[in-house]
Amino acid sequence: NIFRERSGGGQPLMFSEVGFDIVSTVTLDLALKEAEAIKVLDEIIDAFPVLSQMCFHIGHSDLLQLIFDICDIDPSVRKAAAEILSKLNVGPWTWQKIRSELRGTGISVTAIDELHKFDFRGKLGASPDVGGSQGLTTHDDTPVKAFARLKTLFDGSNIYEKAQSTIAHLKDVVAYTKRLGVHAKVY
């Protein structure tokens, strides 16, 4: 169990979590080390019966900060917003529940609508909402589609340039998970 401060004080929040610390003097192969940690978890999942299908959500705090920048999220509420967004697609935490929690932090409806564009899980349509049209079937985006969607969403700003090294790192992690034979779906 890990504990996190409540924004309003009081008893800390408690979450069950597994953590890996990667200690290295060389960061050149950090993506490989991260993929190896995912592979270990994948092997554990394979070894024990689970009640539901397991998956991995990978992200990067630098990318999240750039998303906050493009969505005009005030720096004073970013920590709270990140904590709320970390619940998305976990158990009963749908976008509607997340939206309500984000409103409680004082984030504008417009900014929340902008953030929703970056919720790639279960979106309607097979491609980014470029022309305002969406398809009729639900699906979960693959990492390749997610990277393409990021490029579309960041288009017209200098954010995509700033995100290049982070996106390259995430692409490397995804590529290594494939090479290592990770069975669970990676988002």
Side-chain angles (χ1 to χ4, degrees):
N1 292 325
I2 61 154
F3 299 90
R4 297 284 184 254
E5 283 184 56
R6 288 185 188 266
S7 56
Q11 183 176 348
L13 298 168
M14 183 177 76
F15 302 96
S16 295
E17 188 171 288
V18 175
F20 289 87
D21 293 322
I22 300 171
V23 180
S24 177
T25 57
V26 179
T27 60
L28 295 176
D29 64 346
L30 189 56
L32 174 60
K33 291 171 181 166
E34 291 171 1
E36 287 175 331
I38 293 170
K39 177 62 176 170
V40 168
L41 290 171
D42 191 57
E43 289 175 354
I44 292 168
I45 291 166
D46 284 348
F48 294 97
V50 292
L51 299 175
S52 60
Q53 187 174 359
M54 302 295 284
C55 65
F56 296 102
H57 291 237
I58 62 170
H60 199 290
S61 61
D62 290 346
L63 184 58
L64 180 60
Q65 293 308 312
L66 293 171
I67 291 169
F68 284 160
D69 286 347
I70 203 160
C71 295
D72 201 27
I73 304 296
D74 189 272
S76 66
V77 296
R78 287 183 179 192
K79 182 179 178 188
E83 287 178 18
I84 292 166
L85 289 169
S86 72
K87 301 174 193 176
L88 185 58
N89 297 314
V90 177
W93 288 95
T94 63
W95 179 256
Q96 285 308 103
K97 283 187 173 187
I98 295 298
R99 180 183 191 83
S100 175
E101 293 248 337
L102 289 171
R103 282 295 294 142
T105 66
I107 298 174
S108 73
V109 172
T110 304
I112 293 171
D113 288 344
E114 289 297 309
L115 274 175
H116 189 217
K117 292 178 182 178
F118 292 92
D119 173 23
F120 299 163
R121 290 285 312 269
K123 280 281 197 188
L124 289 175
S127 62
D129 186 17
V130 177
S133 62
Q134 293 182 330
L136 300 174
T137 59
T138 62
H139 73 284
D140 292 317
D141 278 325
T142 63
V144 171
K145 289 180 182 177
F147 295 132
R149 182 168 279 157
L150 279 174
K151 184 174 183 175
T152 300
L153 290 170
F154 288 150
D155 195 32
S157 73
N158 65 346
I159 300 286
Y160 191 72
E161 274 182 45
K162 291 179 182 178
Q164 282 300 306
S165 64
T166 302
I167 290 171
H169 175 79
L170 292 172
K171 285 179 178 180
D172 287 345
V173 173
V174 170
Y176 282 127
T177 61
K178 288 179 183 176
R179 290 178 68 189
L180 291 171
V182 171
H183 296 112
K185 182 102 172 136
V186 176
Y187 296 99

